[in-house]
């Protein structure tokens, strides 16, 4: 059996070879173990806010004899890390707003030489919107089916430039720019999103305090429909 599932594997594949990676919210530390075993980085700093997950992580790391390569730290977000300790950061399996909050609390990640690999479990639109508004470029994004669910994994780098983006970009990011098999998976993610956007659009119709979202969706839905149709013709 592979050590990690396809969701974690997709994130690992977005990493380049480097000296040191930080995994925030490491839980079981399976991603850090994979990173070291595959030679992606010699050292991983694995952080978690809770002691329970770190105990599980410690056992797993010892099982693979990697205590010298993987350092565990009890810390909230990136607060347990110093600048220059790593140049790639993974934050996976948390809500999009939590991930955005962790990034926002850490000014030193706003540097072009720091790559962020992010996998939101929810509110991915808020995470993309945060990244775009704060000058991060979404370099790539991949959807992945893993353990009966579909996820998206985002790679982002700070450029400091705030680009204008299409009304639906925050809902699907760069997913529709893919090709071949990856585009087929990405389309599943985009269609799932479109369905929930349409449901939300109907639900909030006439609700005064959701007027802004209603207007946003009234532009994003037809634009996304068009892009999905265009992408389907490329399969
Ligand atoms: C659902 S698990 C995800 C584990 C692993 N990253 C994965 O994707 O399989 C979320 C983990 O993040 C940790 N966590 C939640 N908020 C955190 C924060 N602000 N800083 C660090 N860890 C956090 C939790 O304790 C938990 O172990």
């Amino acid at each position: 059996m592979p050590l990690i599932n396809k969701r974690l594997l997709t994130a690992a594949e977005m990493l380049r070879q480097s000296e040191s990676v930080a995994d925030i919210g490491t839980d079981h530390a399976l991603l850090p173990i994979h990173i070291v075993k595959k030679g992606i980085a010699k050292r991983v700093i694995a952080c978690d806010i809770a002691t329970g997950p770190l105990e599980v992580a410690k056992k797993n790391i010892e099982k693979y004899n990697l205590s010298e390569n993987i350092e565990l730290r009890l810390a909230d977000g990136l607060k347990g890390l110093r600048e220059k300790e790593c140049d790639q950061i993974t934050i996976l399996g948390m809500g999009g707003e939590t991930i955005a909050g962790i990034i926002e609390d850490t000014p030193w990640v706003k540097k072009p030489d720091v790559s962020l690999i992010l996998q939101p479990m929810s509110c991915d639109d808020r995470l993309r919107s945060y990244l775009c508004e704060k000058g991060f470029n979404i370099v790539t994004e991949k959807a992945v089916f893993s353990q009966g669910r579909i996820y998206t994994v985002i790679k982002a780098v700070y450029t400091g430039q705030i680009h204008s983006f299409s009304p639906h970009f925050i809902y699907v990011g760069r997913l529709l720019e893919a090709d071949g098999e990856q585009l087929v998976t990405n389309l599943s993610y985009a269609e799932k999103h479109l369905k929930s956007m349409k449901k939300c659009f109907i639900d909030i119709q006439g609700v005064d305090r959701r007027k802004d979202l209603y207007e946003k969706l009234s532009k994003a839905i037809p634009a996304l429909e068009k892009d999905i149709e265009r992408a389907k013709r490329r399969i």
Side-chain angles (χ1 to χ4, degrees):
M1 244 195 36
L3 175 68
I4 56 172
N5 58 37
K6 283 173 76 181
R7 175 179 62 87
L8 294 177
L9 190 62
T10 302
E13 285 169 356
M14 287 191 188
L15 292 165
R16 58 187 154 68
Q17 290 233 326
S18 71
E19 274 300 306
S20 179
V21 172
D23 183 38
I24 309 304
T26 197
D27 200 351
H28 33 65
L30 294 181
L31 180 64
I33 293 169
H34 174 86
I35 290 172
V36 176
K37 270 169 69 85
K38 293 287 170 190
I40 299 167
K42 282 191 213 126
R43 179 170 182 248
V44 182
I45 304 165
C47 304
D48 206 287
I49 199 169
T51 50
L54 287 179
E55 280 160 25
V56 177
K58 188 168 183 283
K59 282 193 187 130
N60 284 336
I61 293 164
E62 283 168 356
K63 187 167 132 196
Y64 287 92
N65 218 3
L66 292 175
S67 305
E68 286 195 3
N69 306 79
I70 303 170
E71 187 186 335
L72 290 171
R73 292 186 190 171
L74 179 65
D76 179 1
L78 288 151
K79 290 183 182 141
L81 280 172
R82 290 179 300 277
E83 190 175 352
K84 301 221 166 90
E85 275 196 297
C86 62
D87 57 5
Q88 298 188 92
I89 297 165
T90 54
I91 315 178
L92 317 175
M94 292 184 213
E97 285 180 311
T98 304
I99 296 176
I102 289 174
I103 299 168
E104 180 62 15
D105 281 348
T106 321
W108 61 259
V109 300
K110 290 185 176 167
K111 293 232 169 83
D113 49 1
V114 178
S115 302
L116 302 173
I117 316 293
L118 313 169
Q119 183 268 303
M121 297 298 282
S122 58
C123 303
D124 53 328
D125 52 328
R126 299 209 193 143
L127 176 60
R128 285 190 206 89
S129 158
Y130 168 82
L131 292 169
C132 293
E133 282 164 13
K134 298 289 174 156
F136 288 90
N137 178 28
I138 295 178
V139 181
T140 187
E141 181 161 0
K142 281 184 181 179
V144 56
F145 282 104
S146 182
Q147 300 179 307
R149 270 190 70 171
I150 190 161
Y151 302 92
T152 191
V153 185
I154 298 169
K155 179 170 182 167
V157 173
Y158 184 76
T159 61
Q161 284 172 341
I162 296 155
H163 300 279
S164 59
F165 44 88
S166 55
H168 58 291
F169 186 81
I170 62 159
Y171 297 100
V172 290
R174 296 199 183 279
L175 286 172
L176 298 177
E177 293 174 10
D179 293 309
E181 275 304 302
Q182 186 61 56
L183 179 58
V184 176
T185 310
N186 290 2
L187 270 166
S188 302
Y189 192 94
E191 287 188 308
K192 185 177 157 231
H193 240 324
L194 179 62
K195 206 168 147 194
S196 55
M197 286 160 72
K198 283 180 169 173
K199 183 179 177 310
C200 176
F201 187 64
I202 292 166
D203 290 348
I204 64 173
Q205 201 163 12
V207 181
D208 205 43
R209 65 190 167 80
R210 311 304 303 271
K211 227 166 106 191
D212 283 356
L213 179 61
Y214 187 80
E215 271 166 30
K216 219 195 265 181
L217 287 173
S218 73
K219 290 189 188 107
I221 290 171
L224 182 54
E225 278 174 329
K226 255 190 216 156
D227 268 14
I228 286 177
E229 284 317 308
R230 215 174 287 145
K232 277 183 176 170
R233 287 198 289 275
R234 291 199 290 112
I235 294 173

